[in-house]
Amino acid sequence: EHFAIQHSGHVPAFLHQAASLPGQGDLGFIIKDITSCYPSMPQSAISVAMLDTLAELKRNLGRTGVAVPRRSNARRCSWKVRKGDVWLPFDVLIDIAEFSLHNAIVQLKGRLLLQVCGIPMGSPISPGMTIGTCSWMEKEWLCGVAPSVKRQFCAVRFMDDILMIYRKAVWWDHERFLLDFERSECYHPPLALEDAKDDTFLETTFAIRHGHIRHWLKNVNPIGGPAMVWRYQHWASCCSFEQKRATLSACLKKVHSMASDGDAVVASALQKLDEFRQLAYPKSVLRGACTYMAACTACYAWIRVRRAVDTW
């Protein structure tokens, strides 16, 4: 009953789910940003969202607190206490969050200023406040949406970026529904929604044609053109060959996981490999990476990519 996702790698699975929306009619989408989400988040909503969320966890699941690792950064928090954990009851967590929310003090030109709007600047729990409060607002809004309407759309949000895909069915007024959502009936004022980039959400570029959704890894560097963004080390850099090969393989694995079909794999992989070619990576290394991907994924598209690299 909310739109939150944990990372950008969940977007391809969401697009696959959206393509299966029931009913007839074309698919449409909107991509929005929550304007000034962090400095404008109403603090009263944050407090209510935290209390309501923890109360629901206690009521529905019997949770009363969380176990936090004392020293390890690799271990996750848990509902059960393990050796080396510290048990933090929900009451303590609420006190910590409320203190952080209402005692964020910054120094500006020799003056101490108390922050009275938005999430606490510099606090390590501020991202959690943002995610949790937006999720709570979405849950409250969805409670007022009819079940028949819920089946006609799906949405995801990562921090303050939102993607909604909907079915243009003839029996419901989707234009009015979108207008109500864009007027931020979902998110409390002063939060508002503004348009974002048309065809790219986080790291995924997509296109909708005749009810089918194709998607691939975002890339702003055209093949053979001047690079707009440099992301990787040059082949002549002093790092080891193993590190360079691992970086190349990791990038191609991401290309594969975020592509909807073989054609998308080919187009996206060639764009990515061209970035490494402009960084003087030998053709033999690029071909070897394609062979490795073909063996790992059993996808013939990587053989097509290797043959295209041979023509470079």
Side-chain angles (χ1 to χ4, degrees):
E1 291 297 305
H2 59 77
F3 304 152
I5 56 175
Q6 295 181 1
H7 54 79
S8 60
H10 289 167
V11 176
F14 164 76
L15 294 174
H16 180 74
Q17 171 195 351
S20 303
L21 283 173
Q24 297 179 348
D26 294 335
L27 293 174
F29 71 92
I30 57 172
I31 301 178
K32 297 290 182 179
D33 289 333
I34 304 177
T35 307
S36 302
C37 179
Y38 312 120
S40 301
M41 179 73 70
Q43 293 188 346
S44 58
I46 295 175
S47 296
V48 174
M50 290 187 298
L51 288 171
D52 189 63
T53 300
L54 295 183
E56 185 176 0
L57 283 171
K58 184 176 181 179
R59 181 173 59 254
N60 296 340
L61 300 177
R63 308 299 186 188
T64 59
V66 62
V68 181
R70 185 185 299 272
R71 295 184 178 86
S72 174
N73 292 326
R75 293 174 61 183
R76 296 184 177 185
C77 299
S78 172
W79 296 119
K80 297 181 179 180
V81 179
R82 302 155 300 185
K83 185 177 180 180
D85 286 352
V86 176
W87 178 253
L88 295 179
F90 285 161
D91 292 342
V92 173
L93 294 179
I94 288 294
D95 289 342
I96 294 172
E98 287 290 342
F99 181 86
S100 176
L101 187 62
H102 300 295
N103 294 275
I105 300 175
V106 297
Q107 184 175 9
L108 180 64
K109 296 182 179 179
R111 301 171 60 198
L112 295 179
L113 304 177
L114 176 66
Q115 182 183 342
V116 296
C117 298
I119 60 175
M121 290 189 295
S123 173
I125 64 175
S126 291
M129 286 183 177
T130 304
I131 298 169
T133 304
C134 289
S135 298
W136 174 79
M137 292 178 182
E138 291 156 1
K139 184 192 71 172
E140 294 293 305
W141 177 72
L142 286 168
C143 287
V145 178
S148 58
V149 174
K150 287 182 182 180
R151 291 192 291 268
Q152 302 303 314
F153 76 93
C154 54
V156 288
R157 173 184 49 80
F158 182 76
M159 297 301 288
D160 60 345
D161 298 319
I162 304 167
L163 169 61
M164 177 180 287
I165 296 180
Y166 58 93
R167 180 73 70 181
K168 297 179 181 179
V170 296
W171 64 267
W172 76 301
D173 191 351
H174 61 270
E175 293 182 355
R176 180 177 178 181
F177 171 80
L178 294 176
L179 182 61
D180 290 343
F181 180 75
E182 291 172 2
R183 286 188 307 199
S184 197
E185 289 194 359
C186 178
Y187 302 100
H188 295 190
L191 301 180
L193 298 179
E194 63 178 2
D195 291 331
K197 192 172 181 180
D198 288 340
D199 61 350
T200 301
F201 182 71
L202 302 181
E203 295 183 292
T204 304
T205 302
F206 63 93
I208 300 178
R209 296 290 186 275
H210 307 295
H212 180 67
I213 304 178
R214 296 187 68 242
H215 51 84
W216 56 92
L217 179 66
K218 177 185 74 172
N219 197 332
V220 297
N221 294 334
I223 295 180
M228 301 178 64
V229 178
W230 288 112
R231 302 182 179 93
Y232 314 110
Q233 292 175 307
H234 196 276
W235 180 256
S237 63
C238 62
C239 67
S240 66
F241 167 74
E242 289 75 15
Q243 181 178 342
K244 296 170 186 173
R245 184 177 59 184
T247 300
L248 175 58
S249 298
C251 292
L252 296 185
K253 288 180 179 178
K254 192 171 186 178
V255 165
H256 185 86
S257 65
M258 300 185 73
S260 59
D261 51 64
D263 291 339
V265 168
V266 173
S268 183
L270 289 176
Q271 279 189 310
K272 182 60 65 177
L273 289 170
D274 187 65
E275 290 188 56
F276 287 94
R277 178 177 65 165
Q278 295 189 49
L279 293 171
Y281 276 60
K283 183 187 294 187
S284 60
V285 174
L286 302 182
R287 290 185 76 259
C290 294
T291 303
Y292 169 75
M293 288 301 300
C296 289
T297 63
C299 178
Y300 182 74
W302 288 103
I303 303 300
R304 295 166 55 193
V305 175
R306 188 180 65 184
R307 289 175 179 173
V309 171
D310 287 336
T311 65
W312 287 355

